[in-house]
Amino acid sequence: MAADQGSAGASSAAPVVTVAGPRVARAEEVLTPEAVSFVVGLHRAFEGRRQELLARRKTRRAEIAAAGTLDFLPGTAEVRAGDWQVAEAPRALQDRRVEITGPTDRKMVINALNSGARVWLADFEDATSPTWENVVSGQVNLIDAFEGRIGFTSPAGKAYTLKPAAELATVVVRPRGWHLDETHLLVDGAPVAGGLFDFGLYFFHNAARLIARGAEDPNSGPYFYLPKTESHLEARLWNDVFTHAQAELGIPHGTIRATVLIETITAAFEMEEILFELRDHAAGLNAGRWDYLFSIVKNFRDAGDHYILPDRNTVTMASPFMAAYTRLLVQTCHRRGAHAIGGMAAFIPSRKDPEVNAAALEKVKADKDREAAGGFDGSWVAHPDLVPVARACFDAVLGDRPNQKSSPGSPEPVTAEQLLDIAGAGGSCTRAGLHNAVQVGVRYIEAWLRGLGAVGIFNMMEDAATAEISRSQIWQWINNGVVLADTGEKATAELVRRLVAEELAELRTELGDAAYAAGRWTEAARLFEQVALAEEFVDFLTLPALPLLD
């Protein structure tokens, strides 16, 4: 479909707007002329700044490469020393002790809302393959959920319905990061930002609905998670988007609340500044793992042996440099009156292997016990069966309190050196780790190309962040001449290509010829080799992958 819309924002000239994509059921309910015009207004007002900030990322990366290090910004010392707090959290976001994450397909919407978690991160980003079908139908599904008319019946005939409203999780939407385009919506021939598309449609259709429900439903409000933020200037852009959007729709300033994922090493050095920029709209910060490690590799990939990460599965949140990062996050959030939200428990419980289950659940419990004891106010899980495990860990520390923001966290100060002490993690680089990175990377990308963004692989729920750390570690090991500790081999492109070929052969045997042929394995392997073995490091694997989607 294609349409012309009136102007909004930065220019008085009427824009040429094209909406073009495969047919999606009920798309007309979401892509109304008014909703599209609202998104176009966001694009025209903010696209120039988005492009400037994306260019600044490259400049910043060059500066880091030249210096071989990173430090807190001298120009914002007054912000870090100042006496200020973020706005008080709304009632729906006071207690966030367990949050569940997942894409916005119909079954997941129901299961996540019914899970018993306090919050559901409705994910248009890493857990969603951004096909036109996924991003449009996800908006439809959220509207249906808020209207109480969502239902789903599996091919086997199992029916899924929502519990009473008071038992449902609070919805917090994660739009796409600033780097991703939505190529199905063009303004004057240029794609809009995926993040503005996701945010704009959701806010336009649901903000007033959620506010109107707020009096009788404490779980209502336009709340967001902001991914892939690399600086306080990028947070400032989001804050200005929020201010603009609220004014356009007559929504009171500060109604929007946003939690920022601190999943880049540069953002870790600007936590205070990020909260300050968003202070009227800030709800908290989140500490992840895979994207954070990916960002370290990306920024310090040519900075020498000190920054070489060992096998990714050996780098836990208890590793010294990761512990410093989480300690700083809790300190920062609680000093400023914001929530500190912990990382993901990605294990998928197995009903077939009780021994694997027991061992994995014990690790999940230990991880959540550590977060609760360390001052976090809540944490993430990827599967409904993990909600009771995580909740028990936080219940033991919080009791009847909704959070522990009154606790300052560890008194131990955090230095730049501690945040960058990658070598202090110990561990080693092994052929087994290399093999696992190939396996997970290829299997995830193949599913992503078929439109699946959250994928169960080896009893773990994986998303794009897992594929990113897998392929970036391979790039780092090869380009730094790493010798694998368990075999004495050197990590080379030739070895990786051999492992990829072996993985494809194993998959053909595992799946059978017909199922293998029905997949997109050859494309996945080609793309994985491209982003893992290219001479120049590719910033995000989703960028070359995006044209392969519908």
Side-chain angles (χ1 to χ4, degrees):
M1 60 187 123
D4 289 341
Q5 302 289 337
S7 63
S11 172
S12 60
V16 177
V17 179
T18 304
V19 184
R23 190 183 186 290
V24 177
R26 300 174 61 194
E28 69 280 359
E29 298 176 30
V30 171
L31 300 169
T32 64
E34 297 80 7
V36 172
S37 182
F38 180 72
V39 174
V40 170
L42 294 176
H43 170 84
R44 302 195 91 198
F46 299 108
E47 176 63 10
R49 283 177 59 190
R50 179 177 81 110
Q51 293 300 332
E52 290 172 2
L53 289 170
L54 292 177
R56 186 179 181 275
R57 288 182 176 184
K58 296 184 182 299
T59 302
R60 186 89 180 276
R61 152 63 194 157
E63 293 170 351
I64 293 171
T69 191
L70 194 58
D71 207 344
F72 298 98
L73 300 177
T76 54
E78 288 187 6
V79 170
R80 296 193 296 277
D83 183 16
W84 53 269
Q85 295 254 304
V86 303
E88 178 69 16
R91 181 171 48 163
L93 297 179
Q94 285 286 345
D95 190 330
R96 305 176 62 176
R97 66 188 68 198
V98 185
E99 304 190 351
I100 192 167
T101 74
T104 54
D105 62 271
R106 215 158 176 85
K107 179 181 174 183
M108 181 65 197
V109 170
I110 298 168
N111 284 345
L113 289 173
N114 288 345
S115 67
R118 297 300 178 102
V119 166
W120 170 42
L121 188 160
D123 197 3
F124 285 97
E125 211 239 356
D126 271 0
T128 290
S129 172
T131 66
W132 189 234
E133 166 74 32
N134 285 345
V135 298
V136 173
S137 65
Q139 297 280 351
V140 171
N141 294 338
L142 289 171
I143 292 171
D144 282 354
F146 294 139
E147 290 297 312
R149 63 189 181 213
I150 193 169
F152 177 78
T153 302
S154 71
K158 183 177 180 181
Y160 297 79
T161 59
L162 286 180
K163 294 178 178 179
E167 300 178 38
L168 303 181
T170 297
V171 175
V172 179
V173 167
R174 177 161 71 165
R176 280 167 280 182
W178 285 130
H179 62 290
L180 285 172
D181 294 334
E182 178 45 70
T183 57
H184 298 92
L185 176 56
L186 305 178
V187 180
D188 296 328
V192 304
L196 292 181
F197 180 89
D198 301 335
F199 163 80
L201 288 180
Y202 179 77
F203 188 73
F204 181 86
H205 286 294
N206 298 296
R209 173 187 286 113
L210 292 169
I211 293 167
R213 288 175 50 183
E216 69 274 2
D217 181 2
N219 296 328
S220 291
Y223 309 135
F224 298 90
Y225 257 108
L226 304 181
K228 305 294 189 291
T229 301
E230 296 198 11
S231 73
H232 71 285
L233 297 179
E234 295 182 12
R236 180 182 297 172
L237 176 55
W238 269 119
N239 194 71
D240 290 346
V241 168
F242 296 159
T243 298
H244 173 100
Q246 289 166 141
E248 284 287 304
L249 298 187
I251 303 296
H253 181 81
T255 301
I256 291 172
R257 294 305 170 88
T259 304
V260 181
L261 294 106
I262 303 299
E263 54 188 353
T264 66
I265 185 64
T266 50
F269 282 85
E270 300 182 36
M271 293 186 203
E272 297 249 23
E273 294 90 334
I274 287 169
L275 285 177
F276 182 78
E277 294 292 345
L278 285 159
R279 59 194 179 279
D280 290 345
H281 299 108
L285 304 177
N286 167 271
R289 180 164 52 138
W290 295 139
D291 265 317
Y292 189 72
L293 295 177
F294 162 55
S295 174
I296 290 172
V297 173
K298 181 194 297 188
N299 282 286
F300 292 99
R301 59 185 181 264
D302 46 16
D305 292 350
H306 179 83
Y307 292 101
I308 294 175
L309 281 171
D311 289 2
R312 69 180 180 94
N313 289 316
T314 67
V315 182
T316 69
M317 299 302 274
S319 299
F321 76 100
M322 295 297 283
Y325 149 66
T326 56
R327 195 164 65 248
L328 179 61
L329 188 143
V330 171
Q331 291 171 352
T332 301
C333 286
H334 289 181
R335 181 184 180 197
R336 303 307 182 181
H339 278 74
I341 307 299
M344 171 74 80
F347 175 66
I348 303 173
S350 169
R351 293 175 174 85
K352 296 180 180 179
D353 194 333
E355 289 187 12
V356 168
N357 241 22
L361 290 176
E362 191 58 39
K363 289 181 180 179
V364 170
K365 181 181 182 302
D367 184 51
K368 300 312 168 190
D369 281 341
R370 176 191 55 77
E371 288 181 328
F376 280 95
D377 302 293
S379 191
W380 284 8
V381 299
H383 193 281
D385 287 357
L386 298 184
V387 170
V389 179
R391 185 172 56 224
C393 297
F394 279 89
D395 285 349
V397 172
L398 294 176
D400 293 333
R401 295 179 298 157
N403 54 65
Q404 51 185 336
K405 289 193 292 184
S406 60
S407 169
S410 168
E412 182 184 351
V414 177
T415 66
E417 291 75 20
Q418 289 173 326
L419 291 173
L420 297 176
D421 184 19
I422 313 304
S428 58
C429 306
T430 68
R431 193 182 199 277
L434 188 69
H435 184 210
N436 180 258
V438 167
Q439 288 179 300
V440 172
V442 170
R443 289 170 187 246
Y444 179 81
I445 290 173
E446 191 276 335
W448 192 91
L449 293 175
R450 288 188 288 109
L452 301 175
V455 186
I457 303 174
F458 306 141
N459 287 113
M460 300 293 286
M461 185 61 74
E462 308 289 16
D463 64 14
T466 317
E468 290 285 28
I469 184 58
S470 295
R471 66 93 180 184
S472 63
Q473 270 208 294
I474 291 173
W475 194 99
Q476 184 187 46
W477 290 5
I478 290 171
N479 284 273
N480 285 273
V482 164
V483 175
L484 304 175
D486 52 345
T487 63
E489 298 169 277
K490 191 174 182 179
T492 64
E494 291 72 24
L495 175 57
V496 171
R497 290 191 183 97
R498 189 162 69 247
L499 289 172
V500 170
E502 291 172 359
E503 177 65 8
L504 293 181
E506 291 173 7
L507 283 163
R508 184 184 290 274
T509 300
E510 176 185 322
L511 299 172
D513 288 343
Y516 181 88
R520 300 185 66 174
W521 297 105
T522 301
E523 291 172 278
R526 185 184 305 119
L527 178 59
F528 182 76
E529 289 185 7
Q530 175 186 342
V531 296
L533 305 180
E535 184 175 341
E536 292 295 321
F537 188 88
V538 179
D539 282 345
F540 294 95
L541 69 82
T542 46
L543 296 178
L546 198 58
L548 302 177
L549 294 180
D550 292 329

